[in-house]
């Protein structure tokens, strides 16, 4: 128990930063295991990767598969599995013209970026983990995904 509120808040902030650094380091190690670049042994890579991902509450083997497919099609608007931005037309149709224009004006501002980051962390990540919601539904265009008829 620390009686000073300011000191207690500072200690908690420091603890949070140290915990974040540790978690990031663990994630980097797990990521390298997923790429099979931690060790020459596939068994050791998968064992360490599974352990680290489990500690971070991330499913290792499904992440390894989807991440590998993502790297095969990085930057391809039709085949990338995860980071697929909407086209301008799709975004304008979905949001409406006025909201689309507001998005275009605000997307580089710090407050808008912070709002998107909070929404991603508070809603996007849990939906990805619990409901497997991610990416797009263009699975028929992914020869490596063999996803004819699949839906996210």
């Amino acid at each position: 128990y620390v009686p000073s509120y300011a000191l207690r808040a500072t200690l908690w902030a420091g603890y949070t930063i140290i915990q974040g650094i540790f978690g990031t380091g663990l994630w980097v190690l797990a990521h390298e295991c997923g790429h099979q670049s931690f060790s020459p042994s596939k068994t050791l890579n998968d064992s360490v990767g599974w352990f680290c991902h489990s500690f971070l509450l991330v499913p290792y083997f499904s992440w390894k598969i989807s991440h590998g497919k993502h790297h095969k099609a990085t930057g391809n608007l039709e085949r990338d599995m995860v980071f697929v931005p909407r086209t301008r037309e799709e975004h304008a149709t979905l949001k409406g013209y006025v909201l689309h224009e507001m998005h275009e004006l605000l997307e580089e501002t710090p407050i808008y970026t912070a709002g998107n980051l909070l929404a991603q962390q508070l809603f996007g990540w849990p939906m990805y983990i619990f409901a497997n919601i991610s990416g797009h539904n263009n699975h028929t265009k992914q020869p490596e995904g063999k996803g004819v008829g699949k839906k996210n």
Side-chain angles (χ1 to χ4, degrees):
Y1 179 75
V2 178
S4 167
Y5 179 78
L7 181 58
R8 193 168 56 242
T10 302
L11 289 172
W12 274 112
Y15 173 73
T16 302
I17 290 168
I18 290 169
Q19 188 179 26
I21 291 169
F22 174 77
T24 301
L26 198 58
W27 174 256
V28 169
L29 179 63
H31 182 264
E32 294 309 308
C33 289
H35 282 289
Q36 300 297 309
S37 60
F38 172 70
S39 164
S41 167
K42 184 177 185 318
T43 303
L44 184 60
N45 280 322
D46 286 342
S47 299
V48 172
W50 178 82
F51 177 79
C52 292
H53 270 77
S54 297
F55 186 78
L56 296 168
L57 303 178
V58 176
Y60 174 68
F61 291 102
S62 58
W63 171 84
K64 179 181 161 185
I65 292 166
S66 65
H67 191 67
K69 290 178 183 176
H70 157 68
H71 275 287
K72 286 181 184 176
T74 301
N76 187 309
L77 286 175
E78 294 180 346
R79 292 180 46 234
D80 195 342
M81 299 221 17
V82 183
F83 304 105
V84 182
R86 293 185 196 111
T87 64
R88 287 180 175 268
E89 294 78 25
E90 289 171 337
H91 194 69
T93 302
L94 183 65
K95 300 271 185 179
Y97 181 74
V98 173
L99 288 176
H100 172 67
E101 290 299 314
M102 291 301 293
H103 173 76
E104 290 285 318
L105 290 171
L106 296 173
E107 74 177 332
E108 297 297 324
T109 62
I111 192 79
Y112 190 79
T113 302
N116 279 339
L117 179 64
L118 283 172
Q120 177 191 15
Q121 295 303 310
L122 295 176
F123 302 105
W125 183 248
M127 291 303 288
Y128 169 72
I129 292 295
F130 294 118
N132 195 27
I133 295 173
S134 68
H136 56 77
N137 285 316
N138 295 332
H139 300 291
T140 56
K141 296 177 182 177
Q142 296 175 320
E144 68 277 349
K146 298 177 182 60
V148 176
K150 300 277 176 133
K151 285 252 183 226
N152 284 347

